Amino acid sequence: MQRRATGLTAAIAALGMAAVLAGCGGPGDSGDVTLKLVAADYGDSKANSSQKYWDKLAKKFEAENPGIKVDVSVYSWTDVDRKVKEMVKAGDAPDLAQIGAYADYAARDKLYRTEDLVSISTQADFMAPLAEAGEVKRVQYGMPFASSTRLLFYNEKIFKDAGLTPPQSWTDLAADAKALKARGVKIPYALPLGKEEAQAETMQWLLSGGGGYTDNVGTYDIDSTQNVKTFTWLKDELVGKGLTGATPPAKLDRAEAFAAFTRGDVGMLNGHPTLMQMAAKKGVKYGMVPMPGVNGHAQSTMGVADWMMAFKQKGHREEIGKFLDFAYSTKNVLDFSREYDLLPVTNSAAEEMTGNKNDKALAEFLDELPTSQLYPVGKTSWAQVSVDVKKYIGKAVDTNGNPASILSQLQTKAATEENAE
C-alpha cells in the first residue's frame, strides 16, 4: 500500500535491490490496492442509479484512505447475480458483491467470515434478525445491506367511499373485499402468485396463518397443517368468491399488481416501501396497516434483505474491512436507505430514522422489522426452492387446485434439495 512504501523503498534502495522493488509490482505500479465491487441497481432511472451512490461513496472513502481504490460496477437485478456467478466461475471473483444470495458461495468456502472483516462495533450494529439470516451453520458470511418488510396497502378513497375501515383479521379482509366487489372495484384484493415474486406473497400469507416455509428448527415444513389451512382459505374465501380480480393469481405478477394499484383498480394488496413512491407519483392516496392474521394482526411479517459478501480469492481482507466499516457508518446507511426507500440494516441508523419525522413513512415498515422473518437464505437449497414456489404455488388456488397436494409436492422437492446440500 502506498502510504507504507516510503521507508521500505528507501531501505531497498540502500541495499541496491531495485530488482526486488520491480518484482513487487512491476513498472509504474504505485502500490495501490484496487477493490472490485459488483452491486445491484436499486434506481428506476439514470437519475437515481445506484452507480451514482457508489461512485460518490467510493470517492469519499478514497479521499480518507490513500492507497485504496474502489472500482464499482452496477448491474440491474436481472443481471447482477448471474454476472457475479460468471466472474467466480471464471476465476475472477470480485472482492465484494452486493447481490441477492450468499449461501452457495459460503458453502464452497469462497467468502470471508464477517468477523474477520469488520470491526466489532460494526458487526454488533447489524440488526439481529438480519445478522442471523446471514449465517451458515451459525457463522455469519452474509452482511445485510438493504432490507424491507411488507404492509397491507389500501386505497383510502375507495375505502372511504365504501365506508370501510382497514382489516385487522382475515374475516375483516374478506368482508372488505366483498364490499369492494359489490361497488365495482376491479380487484378487491390483489393476490400476485405469478412467477415474478410469488415466493414473497406466499410467505406473507403463510406467516399470517401461523406457519412459514420452515419449522422452529429450520427444517422445511411447507405442507404443514397451518400452511394447508391458509391456502385452502385463500382458494375458497378470496379466489373462489371472485375477490381477486379477473386475472388468475397464478398469472398475476407483483409489478402488474402494483401498477393496477397506482391506476386505482385495486382495493388492497401487500406492498413494500417502493409502492409508496409509485402511488404518490400517480396521485393515489393510500393507507398502510400490518398484515391481518387469522384472528387479528399477524404475529410476524415477512422481512427481505439483500446481501454484501466478500470473496477471499484476491486476499484483500484488510482493505475490504476498512471499506465495509466506512460503508456501514450510520450516515452512509441512512443515505442509501432514504435514497431508495429501503430500511436501514443497522441499529444506529434505525434509531435515528425512528426519531426523524421526515422518515415517518419508512418508520412504519421499520416497526415490523424486529418481529419479521426472512426467507431461509442460509440454505443453499433455497434458490431452487424459491424457483419451485414461483412455478407451482399459483396452482394451489386455481379453480380445480388442491392446496394440500401442491404444498406436499413443494415439500418433497424442498426436502430433496435440502438433503443434497
Side-chain angles (χ1 to χ4, degrees), residues 217-235:
V217 295
T219 301
Y220 285 116
D221 196 24
I222 298 174
D223 61 349
S224 69
T225 300
Q226 299 100 309
N227 292 345
V228 172
K229 286 182 177 178
T230 294
F231 266 81
T232 299
W233 186 89
L234 284 173
K235 178 180 182 295

Side-chain angles (χ1 to χ4, degrees), residues 240-263:
K241 294 184 178 179
L243 302 179
T244 55
T247 302
K251 295 183 179 180
L252 180 64
D253 284 339
R254 182 203 63 180
E256 175 51 34
F258 279 18
F261 186 80
T262 66
R263 293 195 301 266

Side-chain angles (χ1 to χ4, degrees), residues 12 29 58 65 83 119 123 130-131 143 155 161 166 173 183 185 193 236 256 262 268 274 332 341 374 382 384:
I12 292 173
D29 190 352
N65 295 270
K83 181 64 177 179
S119 66
Q123 187 171 10
L130 305 178
M143 290 160 279
N155 184 304
D161 291 347
L173 189 149
R183 294 181 65 85
V185 175
L193 295 177
D236 295 344
E256 175 51 34
T262 66
M268 300 172 281
T274 303
N332 289 329
D341 283 337
L374 280 73
W382 170 244
Q384 183 57 48

Side-chain angles (χ1 to χ4, degrees), residues 149-156 159 166-167 261 267-277 279 284-292 297 343 359-368:
T149 55
R150 300 290 193 268
L151 290 173
L152 183 76
F153 283 68
Y154 63 94
N155 184 304
E156 281 191 342
F159 265 65
F261 186 80
M268 300 172 281
L269 81 170
N270 284 318
H272 52 62
T274 303
L275 185 55
M276 296 189 301
Q277 200 173 79
V284 174
K285 293 185 177 180
Y286 59 88
M288 303 180 297
V289 293
M291 175 67 180
H297 288 163
L343 301 184
D359 293 318
K360 183 178 179 181
L362 280 176
E364 291 188 49
F365 288 89
L366 191 59
D367 288 342
E368 299 295 304

